[in-house]
Amino acid sequence: MSSSIMDVEVTPKVVKEHGLKPEEYDHIVKILGRKPNITELGLYSVMWSEHCGYKHSRALLKTLPTKGDKVLQGPGENAGIMDIGEGWAVAFKVESHNHPSAIEPYQGAATGVGGILRDIFTMGARPVANLNSLRFGPLTDPKVKRLFAGVVHGIADYGNCMGIPTVAGEVVFDDSYSENCLVNAMSVGLLKHDQIIRGKATGVGNAVIYIGATTGRDGIHGATFASTEITDESTEKRSAVQVADPFMEKLLMEATLELIHGDLLVGIQDMGAAGLTCSTCEMASRGGAGIEIDVAKVPQREKGMTPYEILLSESQERMLLVAKPGCEQKVHDVLAKWDLHAATIGVVTDTGRMIVKENGKLVADVPADSLTEAPVYHPAKSEPAILKEYKKFDEATVAVPKDLNEVLEKLMADPTIASKRWVYRQYDHMVRSNTLIRPGSDAAVIRVKGTQLGLAMTIDGLGSYCALDPYEGAKIVVAEAARNIACSGAQAIGMTDCLNFGNPEKPEVYYYFDRVIAGLGDACRAFGIPITGGNVSLYNENPTGAIDPTPIVGMMGLFQNVENRVTQWFKKEGDFIYLLGEIGQSIGGSRYLKVTHGKKTGLCPTLNLETELKLHKSLKALAESHLIQSAHDCSDGGFAVALAESCFTGVTHEAQVLGATVTLLGTGRVDARLFGEAQSRVIVSVKPSDAVKFEEIVKKNGVPVERIGVVGGAEMVIGSEVKLPVVKLADLFFTSIEKTMAL
């Protein structure tokens, strides 16, 4: 943009370049009672983008359950907050940074972590843990390896520099994400109830203060960029990707928390997507007020920046705050202590308008609420024909492999199933000394220091299931996350989600989106789990079509006594092994079907919500009674893979490898019983002396249970079908990704 930006005529071509539809432009004219100038057009273009405005998702999101006894802050703020007892609360949220990471993997991922951390400490919480969910194309593709390495490096550098442990995550490799990777970052923070603050502007005359890094031209129209499909021309939009500075963010976090805990602020907001534009109009709208700022007072690191550029820049590590009356100097003193830029750039007004000036000259004047109230669309939807084809799949056409040992070996080396040790070895997961269960188990666990309380957390997604059956798949995503929490011994209390889909203006994509929302909602209601916030990422498309519909679920669990925590690996030779739940009878939608036979088809597993809830209650009761030594759910790869992981997952933490000898239950296809992915199943180990009490509790809760074998030996033996050295399986599991990345 040149210095003559104010002279640019707003033409239909300019409107289109800003990502606005003709009818949206007409609505803006109606709101203003005149034509907008180019700066005002820029404000609407970012705030009415899909990324900020949720135009195609807001109507469906309103159907989700968001309330509960423990909810202190639901959707609509920077992060959700839940009560965890003893005056403590947990803030948590997940967001996407998909498009930026596809273009600039290191910076895209790093700034994604920075953004979600700001969402947490802006609420007054100190971040205590990070998680992430990543999806890429096949790891054999050199481009995918480059993206994967860059994303992991970016996440590691930012979190490690901030001193925030990365405690859990997941990585999936699938053709669906070949040209559009997914990078979803989650953060968790702790705070006292009286430390909660919100992003609002109130109090006429109160000072509006800019803090943090200086403003540059990086990230301009980042929100708009994230609201369109990636194309061959996307590499030309590298300026829409922000640049990260974790050392600046560390200072900003400490200063922000000192300001909040010092009771110096009315409200505070991160300058994330849409930058200064978003923070000003959203704070004014939430507070029922107006804001007037002068962009000439905004600290800038580049010469000749126009109001348009300053307002739309998404430079990182910046915040906007409203000081309490008489506290302005104290605010500046705190920021000076942390060597941060601070500038009073405006005041709160009672006009309800966002007024922008440059050296006293008016450059924009719009109703603040109008920027935060983007048009809401209800797109057409139609069931994709491919879903009917999936239902016709006949499993009888798939031959059962003769060598089932070879199948298991192949699954253990599959990058989607294999250990993500190559990833989490780059993350510091013990900093701050709160982490009790590190990466590698079903859920991570951290302590709340000074109390007996603990938090379990996990992040999960099943795009392949949702591609086959969006409603059933979405139910399973929620159940999988809650089951992981239950396996750790905690009670699931709240959820955040990141909904990754293709272009919602395509009827087939919107059908998937609609059915996924329905599945998420029904599962959360059945489990009594409120959704406290999240993010929607649309327009994730490959040249061949949309990505698999991919809802990512971040789940929080609570321990009243964190000493009741459970891990997934076997502990001692001679312990009994039990299966809770039914053995699998189908290979539809399984990772086995994809890896061994090259097919992603069939019916995904069905989920009985009542059965699943009984399992969760049983696991929590067993953990509290200290009647289980380990618990691990059956997911990707089914029963055989889960059993193998129970034998050696602890090798990364406890330096032990334990074999197992079990009976293979059920009848019918042996590959379905070994590798099918039937739901509501958990493998547990129990001391022989606790077996009677264990069985009483499980049966009382109405959960199917069978003692299937015993821990011990150097081999994993499943009936007459599988017999392999555990050390061989462990080597395949732990080194698969490492060896591929070393090529």
Side-chain angles (χ1 to χ4, degrees):
M1 293 292 173
S2 68
S3 59
S4 60
I5 183 67
M6 291 297 293
D7 299 327
V8 172
E9 181 182 358
V10 177
T11 64
K13 181 175 181 292
V14 171
V15 171
K16 183 177 180 180
E17 289 172 347
H18 279 71
L20 291 165
K21 303 176 186 294
E23 57 269 28
E24 291 175 340
Y25 176 74
D26 292 342
H27 187 45
I28 293 168
V29 172
K30 184 177 180 180
I31 290 170
L32 299 180
R34 58 175 171 79
K35 294 181 178 181
N37 62 41
I38 188 66
T39 300
E40 292 167 337
L41 186 75
L43 302 182
Y44 283 101
S45 74
V46 291
M47 291 307 298
W48 285 12
S49 68
E50 188 66 46
H51 191 73
C52 294
Y54 289 78
K55 295 184 292 189
H56 294 89
S57 59
R58 189 178 300 179
L60 293 179
L61 295 178
K62 287 183 177 180
T63 68
L64 294 171
T66 59
K67 300 184 183 302
D69 294 342
K70 295 183 182 295
V71 177
L72 301 177
Q73 177 62 59
E77 269 288 347
N78 292 295
I81 301 178
M82 299 195 73
D83 176 24
I84 60 172
E86 300 187 33
W88 283 99
V90 59
F92 59 102
K93 191 180 182 185
V94 61
E95 283 202 348
S96 63
H97 232 224
N98 302 334
H99 283 31
S101 299
I103 303 301
E104 289 280 4
Y106 179 88
Q107 293 294 351
T111 52
V113 174
I116 198 64
L117 284 171
R118 289 194 297 280
D119 283 342
I120 299 303
F121 66 74
T122 297
M123 301 300 297
R126 177 172 291 280
V128 293
N130 288 336
L131 304 86
N132 54 74
S133 173
L134 313 176
R135 276 165 171 71
F136 302 90
L139 196 54
T140 51
D141 184 338
K143 180 182 177 181
V144 169
K145 289 172 65 175
R146 179 184 64 81
L147 285 172
F148 179 42
V151 165
V152 171
H153 191 191
I155 291 170
D157 279 2
Y158 208 100
N160 294 351
C161 290
M162 286 289 294
I164 311 297
T166 301
V167 297
E170 61 155 15
V171 189
V172 170
F173 301 94
D174 189 90
D175 294 336
S176 171
Y177 311 102
S178 290
E179 298 297 328
N180 195 310
C181 62
L182 300 185
V183 177
N184 291 184
M186 178 178 171
S187 190
V188 178
L190 287 171
L191 73 165
K192 290 286 193 176
H193 287 203
D194 59 3
Q195 295 171 338
I196 298 173
I197 192 168
R198 294 172 172 85
K200 63 179 182 178
T202 59
V204 175
N206 283 342
V208 176
I209 302 175
Y210 169 114
I211 68 173
T214 52
T215 295
R217 291 187 171 93
D218 52 316
I220 292 176
H221 272 296
T224 309
F225 169 56
S227 304
T228 58
E229 296 178 24
I230 294 179
T231 65
D232 291 339
E233 290 74 39
S234 292
T235 53
E236 299 173 5
K237 298 181 180 180
R238 291 180 185 271
S239 61
V241 181
Q242 308 92 334
V243 179
D245 184 349
F247 301 104
M248 174 66 75
E249 178 119 338
K250 172 65 174 173
L251 298 176
L252 187 62
M253 179 179 72
E254 298 299 342
T256 296
L257 292 175
E258 184 171 338
L259 291 169
I260 293 170
H261 299 168
D263 198 25
L264 301 178
L265 307 181
V266 171
I268 185 168
Q269 172 95 350
D270 164 38
M271 291 189 212
L276 184 56
T277 297
C278 182
S279 54
T280 48
C281 70
E282 286 191 350
M283 291 184 75
S285 180
R286 290 196 194 105
I291 283 185
E292 180 177 319
I293 62 171
D294 192 317
V295 293
K297 298 178 181 179
V298 172
Q300 301 160 47
R301 66 170 173 264
E302 297 185 45
K303 293 182 178 180
M305 291 190 71
T306 66
Y308 180 103
E309 292 173 318
I310 294 168
L311 289 165
L312 271 61
S313 167
E314 293 182 12
S315 293
Q316 296 291 285
E317 293 86 39
R318 303 179 302 157
M319 312 279 272
L320 193 71
L321 59 86
V322 175
K324 285 190 171 181
C327 294
E328 295 90 338
Q329 189 55 52
K330 291 180 180 179
V331 169
H332 283 277
D333 290 345
V334 168
L335 295 165
K337 166 188 169 183
W338 291 100
D339 197 25
L340 289 172
H341 288 283
T344 299
I345 65 170
V347 295
V348 178
T349 70
D350 60 1
T351 65
R353 303 186 73 82
M354 177 176 169
I355 296 174
V356 182
K357 296 181 177 179
E358 183 184 34
N359 291 316
K361 181 181 178 182
L362 184 68
V363 295
D365 181 358
V366 303
D369 283 347
S370 71
L371 292 171
T372 63
E373 296 173 354
V376 176
Y377 295 118
H378 302 270
K381 59 186 177 185
S382 62
E383 182 177 357
I386 190 66
L387 292 182
K388 295 177 182 178
E389 295 300 314
Y390 293 149
K391 294 175 183 177
K392 295 177 183 177
F393 173 67
D394 183 0
E395 294 186 3
T397 62
V398 177
V400 177
K402 293 181 179 180
D403 190 340
L404 295 171
N405 284 326
E406 183 180 343
V407 172
L408 180 57
E409 290 173 356
K410 191 172 183 180
L411 284 171
M412 299 309 294
D414 170 39
T416 291
I417 290 176
S419 169
K420 307 308 181 291
R421 184 174 69 176
W422 182 87
V423 176
Y424 61 71
R425 273 186 168 176
Q426 300 183 53
Y427 303 154
D428 188 334
H429 42 261
M430 291 300 293
V431 64
R432 304 190 67 82
S433 68
N434 291 321
T435 310
L436 297 176
I437 297 181
R438 295 171 275 179
S441 197
D442 282 333
V445 175
I446 66 169
R447 65 165 60 90
V448 180
K449 287 183 178 177
T451 75
Q452 288 187 313
L453 301 172
L455 292 172
M457 57 200 72
T458 186
I459 189 166
D460 292 283
L462 289 166
S464 58
Y465 282 4
C466 292
L468 301 178
D469 185 333
Y471 176 76
E472 203 68 27
K475 285 166 51 185
I476 293 172
V477 171
V478 177
E480 165 84 7
R483 197 183 313 132
N484 284 334
I485 296 294
C487 283
S488 75
Q491 173 70 48
I493 60 169
M495 190 180 103
T496 177
D497 56 37
C498 194
L499 308 177
N500 306 273
F501 290 81
N503 184 341
E505 298 169 74
K506 297 178 179 179
E508 293 83 2
V509 171
Y510 197 70
Y511 174 88
Y512 277 118
F513 189 50
D514 176 80
R515 297 305 294 154
V516 163
I517 292 290
L520 294 176
D522 284 352
C524 285
R525 279 183 282 270
F527 300 151
I529 299 173
I531 300 173
T532 63
N535 174 241
V536 178
S537 175
L538 303 178
Y539 299 96
N540 293 291
E541 297 269 343
N542 291 312
T544 56
I547 63 165
D548 283 349
T550 310
I552 299 299
V553 163
M555 191 77 73
M556 295 302 306
L558 176 63
F559 291 94
Q560 295 300 328
N561 184 348
V562 75
E563 296 306 314
N564 295 334
R565 66 190 182 274
V566 178
T567 52
Q568 73 179 46
W569 43 88
F570 297 145
K571 302 300 187 298
K572 188 177 180 181
E573 290 206 12
D575 283 348
F576 292 161
I577 302 171
Y578 286 85
L579 176 68
L580 304 182
E582 305 286 354
I583 199 69
Q585 298 295 332
S586 170
I587 59 173
S590 66
R591 193 66 190 171
Y592 155 74
L593 185 61
K594 179 70 166 74
V595 172
T596 306
H597 300 283
K599 298 178 182 294
K600 182 160 63 175
T601 187
L603 295 175
C604 78
T606 56
L607 176 76
N608 183 298
L609 293 170
E610 184 179 350
T611 299
E612 183 73 34
L613 186 57
K614 289 178 181 178
L615 177 63
H616 299 175
K617 290 179 178 179
S618 294
L619 288 165
K620 182 173 181 290
L622 292 167
E624 290 175 345
S625 301
H626 298 276
L627 292 175
I628 49 176
Q629 295 290 86
S630 66
H632 183 32
D633 79 316
C634 301
S635 55
D636 286 348
F639 170 76
V641 167
L643 183 68
E645 290 172 340
S646 299
C647 289
F648 53 70
T649 306
V651 76
T652 57
H653 309 315
E654 300 177 355
Q656 65 177 14
V657 174
L658 290 171
T661 299
V662 303
T663 300
L664 181 60
L665 301 177
T667 58
R669 292 185 64 120
V670 66
D671 55 348
R673 290 184 285 145
L674 285 169
F675 312 118
E677 295 173 7
Q679 294 299 294
S680 307
R681 297 185 300 158
V682 172
I683 294 172
V684 300
S685 61
V686 179
K687 292 179 181 178
S689 58
D690 291 333
V692 173
K693 290 182 180 179
F694 162 81
E695 291 183 20
E696 286 177 355
I697 288 179
V698 176
K699 291 175 181 177
K700 181 180 178 180
N701 282 292
V703 175
V705 58
E706 290 282 351
R707 186 197 300 181
I708 58 174
V710 64
V711 176
E715 294 179 317
M716 190 183 85
V717 181
I718 305 176
S720 60
E721 288 78 17
V722 171
K723 185 176 182 180
L724 285 165
V726 175
V727 291
K728 182 176 183 180
L729 291 171
D731 181 65
L732 290 167
F733 182 75
F734 284 109
T735 66
S736 175
I737 291 178
E738 295 171 357
K739 289 177 179 177
T740 302
M741 293 303 292
L743 294 176

